[in-house]
Amino acid sequence: MNKTAKTLSINTLKRGLISGINVTWELAKIVVPISFIVTFLKHTPILNIISEVFAPLMSMFGLPGKAAIALVLGNFVNLYAAIGAIVSLSLSVREITILAIMLSFCHSLPVETALAKKIGLSAIKVIAVRCSLAIIAGLAFNLFL
Amino acid sequence: MLTIILKEALLGSFSSIKNIIMIVIPIMIAMEILKDSGIFEKIADLFSPLVKIFGMKKESGFPLVIGILIGISYGAGVIFETAKQENLPERDLYLLTYFLVACHAIIEDTAIFTAIGANGALLLITRLFVASLFTFLASRIIKDKNKIKMSAEV
């Protein structure tokens, strides 16, 4: 690593503030529209249909069927999209923690798999490993939490 | 009907975003301070010998720790740079990437998940432990001579 002499200055604070605002902005850009869509679905029969379809699968993780929306968004889009769904679905702390551990292991698959592939790993193996870790962690948290 | 939905969605997401701002902005400022004061490098230097339990070169630990703390995109940049400078073995690259796809950006992720109500400490410990265990198992399976071809210049 090039160990260039780095110094702390007011620029450090400025950059921190800017990157904090950036993260918040990137997050808000996704959380607000997703939250709007999910809230909209809540007022239609669609959310109930999704809930019922996924209820048997999600119950293995101690999650309601509607939590599938957060898992799907988190994996196909990114964590911020999953956050947007989580905050609009009125879930309990336990349910949020289970979703969070599953999503931590497995999220943003299109972007992150491309990165891993660039380093030389097989895309299928990476996805298989991440999904397995998410499933095992979800089952374990449901069991012990 | 539409106004009720709009109001509910906006109020809900704004209050979550407010919680996220309260946690994320101080954490991002702290992260820049850690970066600029060289503390991240010190942490990475301190923990990098631990990768020996995976049978990896000490030098491979640096991009690993940076990726775990900061994130996978930033981590990938450091991986490419370190791989070039230190001539890291292919096996090390695979192992540290496997670790990182399972566990990265623990500072930002933990902050955000805690802000929306998850148990942050539990998340943090589980992610680190599981990723280490998985990488350890993988390190016993992936042999030095790897048949997989590098699909890109590193």
Side-chain angles (χ1 to χ4, degrees):
Chain A
M1 287 307 300
N2 50 335
K3 301 232 163 109
T4 42
K6 288 174 179 171
T7 43
L8 276 175
S9 69
I10 193 73
N11 284 329
T12 309
L13 296 180
K14 235 190 265 170
R15 245 181 302 119
L17 189 64
I18 291 169
S19 84
I21 292 170
N22 271 338
V23 169
T24 312
W25 171 238
E26 291 301 319
L27 208 129
K29 265 195 328 205
I30 300 172
V31 167
V32 174
I34 295 279
S35 166
F36 181 75
I37 294 167
V38 174
T39 310
F40 177 76
L41 292 180
K42 259 162 71 178
H43 291 265
T44 66
I46 301 171
L47 190 77
N48 279 331
I49 296 169
I50 296 175
S51 286
E52 276 167 34
V53 171
F54 288 99
L57 186 67
M58 291 293 111
S59 69
M60 296 189 335
F61 309 115
L63 295 171
K66 60 187 178 179
I69 297 174
L71 287 182
V72 169
L73 286 172
N75 280 291
F76 288 99
V77 187
N78 57 28
L79 278 182
Y80 298 163
I83 303 277
I86 293 172
V87 299
S88 345
L89 285 174
S90 28
L91 301 163
S92 70
V93 167
R94 179 178 189 271
E95 289 161 351
I96 293 177
T97 303
I98 294 173
L99 268 177
I101 195 67
M102 295 182 75
L103 285 166
S104 293
F105 284 125
C106 196
H107 59 253
S108 317
L109 291 180
V111 173
E112 293 186 356
T113 309
L115 255 174
K117 228 180 135 186
K118 204 171 164 213
I119 295 172
L121 294 187
S122 125
I124 302 206
K125 276 189 202 162
V126 168
I127 293 174
V129 165
R130 299 187 72 184
C131 291
S132 315
L133 291 181
I135 291 168
I136 296 167
L139 293 172
F141 268 37
N142 181 34
L143 218 59
F144 297 112
L145 207 65
Chain B
M1 170 75 169
L2 205 65
T3 47
I4 298 172
I5 297 172
L6 197 62
K7 207 176 140 195
E8 191 184 332
L10 283 181
L11 285 181
S13 43
F14 282 167
S15 85
S16 329
I17 288 167
K18 196 193 79 200
N19 289 342
I20 291 167
I21 289 176
M22 307 276 277
I23 295 189
V24 166
I25 293 190
I27 292 230
M28 294 320 258
I29 293 175
M31 250 172 71
E32 288 302 323
I33 294 174
L34 291 175
K35 270 190 214 163
D36 281 5
S37 57
I39 293 176
F40 269 140
E41 272 95 343
K42 287 213 184 77
I43 296 174
D45 284 337
L46 196 68
F47 285 99
S48 53
L50 285 179
V51 297
K52 282 182 187 155
I53 57 171
F54 305 136
M56 284 157 66
K57 272 174 80 176
K58 183 168 118 292
E59 289 74 14
S60 305
F62 186 84
L64 180 64
V65 179
I66 296 293
I68 293 172
L69 294 175
I70 303 178
I72 201 167
S73 327
Y74 191 88
V78 182
I79 290 174
F80 289 131
E81 204 177 315
T82 315
K84 239 187 329 198
Q85 287 175 5
E86 307 283 352
N87 202 10
L88 299 183
E90 230 169 81
R91 178 177 177 275
D92 284 21
L93 281 178
Y94 291 144
L95 288 175
L96 72 92
T97 310
Y98 267 125
F99 193 114
L100 285 182
V101 291
C103 180
H104 55 260
I106 56 171
I107 298 179
E108 189 194 316
D109 288 1
T110 309
I112 293 173
F113 278 128
T114 309
I116 62 162
N119 181 337
L122 186 64
L123 287 180
L124 197 63
I125 294 166
T126 311
R127 291 180 77 182
L128 286 171
F129 176 74
V130 170
S132 309
L133 187 67
F134 174 77
T135 309
F136 182 75
L137 294 176
S139 75
R140 304 291 116 156
I141 295 166
I142 300 180
K143 296 280 172 290
D144 287 326
K145 291 277 177 229
N146 211 309
K147 279 181 283 184
I148 318 162
K149 289 273 177 294
M150 300 288 270
S151 64
E153 80 286 4
V154 169

